[in-house]
Amino acid sequence: MTTEKRRAPAGAAVLRGEITSAIRAAVMQELAEVGYGRLSIEAVARRAGVSKTAIYRRWRSKLDLVLDMVSAAAGRNLPLLDTGSLLGDLEILLHVMARALRHRLASQIIPDLLAEAARNPQIAEKLQAALDDYQQAVGRILIGRAVERGELSPDTDRRAAVDLIVGPVYWRMAISRAPLDVEEVPRLASAIVAALRVACLGPVRDEVEV
Amino acid sequence: MTTEKRRAPAGAAVLRGEITSAIRAAVMQELAEVGYGRLSIEAVARRAGVSKTAIYRRWRSKLDLVLDMVSAAAGRNLPLLDTGSLLGDLEILLHVMARALRHRLASQIIPDLLAEAARNPQIAEKLQAALDDYQQAVGRILIGRAVERGELSPDTDRRAAVDLIVGPVYWRMAISRAPLDVEEVPRLASAIVAALRVACLGPVRDEVEV
DNA sequence: CAACGACGGTACGGTTGCGTCCCGACGTGT
DNA sequence: ACACGTCGGGACGCAACCGTACCGTCGTTG
């Protein structure tokens, strides 16, 4: 398509990584402060100490910019180490989640983007993909291991299990916005284990009586 | 302060309730579609088929408007009838929550306002008050009854209990945005009961071993 | 060492929304 | 029947932001 006689950009004609980073950081800050709805390119540029053009050269629009950030943030998967028991694995996961949600940026940006996803198909798609990855990872690793160990029934409903695991922590920290002390984690973990044991009846079958 | 010689407004010089309702409805629609961040008085007026002045006469600003709506919506408390068992009470509550979150308006507006609350003190205050009311109601009624019946330990941690009850449903419907079939509710309820039994060790005491 | 070419920054027109002011319309109380 | 006084509606000035076009700068490549 393009003429291959053009030589590769070089010298000053190349994106400066430091500026890209500055923009990324500014977007996070701005996203936390005003949310996606009111995120403005001008404000990002101001905060980053950069011109608007610098932003438009890298991303086509505000949506592109945020989608890229989401992809980058969602890319890093959580390596859940095997502690040998469902309870131990759960405690680790809860600690990781709590640690992440304790950061001001995360606890403001995540709910904001999730709310935005409810009305923006593009964000919803990207975010749902990331969320599904996360949930599947939790389901496969945590629940999968527990099933292998015989701690849970093989036909445990993964989706319901993830709800029981992730829901309480998210509600507490991102919605209720009450701190979750580290001392509370073990108790919460054991409560969830109890719930999972009961919920392991698997997908609802038609044997339900009326 | 004001001269009491002024006679009360009458005739056409009085707020028309139908218009007030139209505005309220339009705000809900608009809030669901673009969120609080991008909520504009002009758009509300357009959608309601009403002039901007009509809105400014009733509320001083956009914030006032939304705060008023929140108060109105949060005002109605949930009457949880007593089924005689924690499991039964829980199923009722879960059904009520699921029913509420199934509405498109609710499932879009609630997460949006909760996210906005993270950065707007005024909204946070109003919303936290409503949320606290809700959580205390759940805690007092559901947990309280269960304790009286002897189903739960008296020193059950109310806050942790509410997290375990509300978290999973909210995560499933408002975040994960996956449907919650009615057939799943009983299983979820029994799982939560199991969790509550374990979590009823009460506030963490210093007896924790290392 | 010279020329290339994309870089970052400024300036611009167009659009949108805010909050206010003024106008004619209208229905109740005197 | 009249006068009162608030109503809803349209218009205005102001501010912020979008996305683009243009400008001088600068480092590498040949």
Side-chain angles (χ1 to χ4, degrees):
Chain A
M1 305 293 183
T2 55
T3 319
E4 62 266 28
K5 302 197 175 185
R6 305 176 81 86
R7 68 185 188 190
V14 95
L15 286 175
R16 278 163 59 190
E18 35 179 315
I19 292 201
T20 306
S21 321
I23 296 175
R24 294 199 120 97
V27 169
M28 298 294 281
Q29 300 278 344
E30 205 66 22
L31 217 44
E33 250 179 50
V34 304
Y36 178 84
R38 280 196 170 157
L39 182 73
S40 82
I41 301 289
E42 301 225 342
V44 171
R46 270 199 303 271
R47 186 187 289 267
V50 151
S51 77
K52 278 197 296 177
T53 322
I55 300 178
Y56 280 110
R57 278 200 204 285
R58 284 162 234 265
W59 297 276
R60 206 178 318 151
S61 66
K62 164 173 134 180
L63 181 60
D64 243 45
L65 173 53
V66 173
L67 287 182
D68 184 38
M69 308 275 303
V70 171
S71 302
R76 39 185 143 150
N77 41 3
L78 61 172
L80 296 172
L81 57 152
D82 193 337
T83 65
S85 76
L86 174 57
L87 183 62
D89 287 0
L90 248 177
E91 287 191 13
I92 298 281
L93 175 62
L94 293 181
H95 272 124
V96 169
M97 284 188 59
R99 186 194 172 95
L101 287 177
R102 251 190 277 275
H103 289 321
R104 223 189 94 263
L105 281 185
S107 69
Q108 291 198 336
I109 293 178
I110 293 175
D112 185 87
L113 287 184
L114 284 171
E116 185 64 28
R119 66 181 78 99
N120 188 321
Q122 308 228 47
I123 292 188
E125 189 186 356
K126 263 286 197 295
L127 226 50
Q128 279 295 339
L131 211 60
D132 286 352
D133 278 357
Y134 186 82
Q135 303 206 30
Q136 283 198 11
V138 171
R140 192 173 46 241
I141 299 181
L142 263 177
I143 310 299
R145 280 183 197 154
V147 169
E148 286 175 14
R149 291 191 204 102
E151 291 183 284
L152 291 179
S153 159
D155 49 19
T156 299
D157 182 349
R158 303 293 170 97
R159 165 163 287 168
V162 173
D163 294 342
L164 284 169
I165 295 171
V166 179
V169 189
Y170 185 80
W171 175 267
R172 171 67 153 274
M173 303 198 66
I175 309 298
S176 226
R177 300 204 171 268
L180 179 67
D181 296 341
V182 283
E183 304 102 37
E184 298 184 59
V185 170
R187 209 180 56 203
L188 177 56
S190 52
I192 293 177
V193 170
L196 291 178
R197 290 233 175 79
V198 172
C200 76
L201 302 176
V204 180
R205 281 158 286 193
D206 295 327
E207 65 194 20
V208 185
E209 64 176 20
V210 182
Chain B
M1 303 296 181
T2 56
T3 319
E4 60 266 29
K5 303 199 174 185
R6 305 176 80 86
R7 70 186 187 190
V14 95
L15 286 174
R16 280 163 58 188
E18 36 180 314
I19 293 201
T20 306
S21 320
I23 297 175
R24 295 198 120 98
V27 169
M28 298 294 281
Q29 300 279 345
E30 206 66 21
L31 216 45
E33 251 179 51
V34 304
Y36 177 84
R38 279 195 171 158
L39 182 73
S40 83
I41 301 289
E42 302 225 342
V44 171
R46 270 199 302 272
R47 186 188 288 268
V50 150
S51 77
K52 277 196 298 175
T53 321
I55 300 178
Y56 279 108
R57 279 201 202 285
R58 290 164 170 81
W59 296 277
R60 206 177 316 155
S61 68
K62 165 171 133 181
L63 182 60
D64 243 45
L65 174 54
V66 173
L67 287 181
D68 184 39
M69 308 276 303
V70 171
S71 302
R76 39 186 144 148
N77 43 2
L78 62 172
L80 296 171
L81 57 153
D82 192 338
T83 65
S85 76
L86 174 58
L87 183 62
D89 287 0
L90 247 176
E91 287 190 13
I92 298 281
L93 175 62
L94 293 181
H95 272 125
V96 170
M97 285 188 58
R99 186 193 172 95
L101 286 177
R102 250 190 279 275
H103 289 320
R104 225 188 94 263
L105 281 186
S107 70
Q108 291 198 337
I109 293 179
I110 293 175
D112 184 86
L113 287 184
L114 284 172
E116 185 64 28
R119 66 181 79 96
N120 188 323
Q122 308 228 45
I123 292 188
E125 189 186 355
K126 264 282 198 299
L127 226 50
Q128 279 296 340
L131 210 61
D132 285 353
D133 278 357
Y134 185 83
Q135 304 207 31
Q136 282 197 11
V138 171
R140 192 173 44 242
I141 299 181
L142 263 175
I143 310 299
R145 281 182 196 154
V147 169
E148 286 176 15
R149 292 192 203 100
E151 292 182 285
L152 291 180
S153 158
D155 48 19
T156 299
D157 182 349
R158 303 293 169 97
R159 163 163 288 168
V162 173
D163 293 343
L164 284 168
I165 295 171
V166 180
V169 189
Y170 185 81
W171 175 267
R172 172 67 154 273
M173 303 197 66
I175 308 299
S176 221
R177 300 207 168 263
L180 179 66
D181 296 340
V182 283
E183 304 102 38
E184 297 183 60
V185 169
R187 208 180 58 203
L188 177 57
S190 52
I192 293 177
V193 169
L196 291 177
R197 289 234 175 78
V198 172
C200 75
L201 304 175
V204 180
R205 280 158 286 194
D206 295 327
E207 65 193 19
V208 185
E209 63 175 22
V210 184

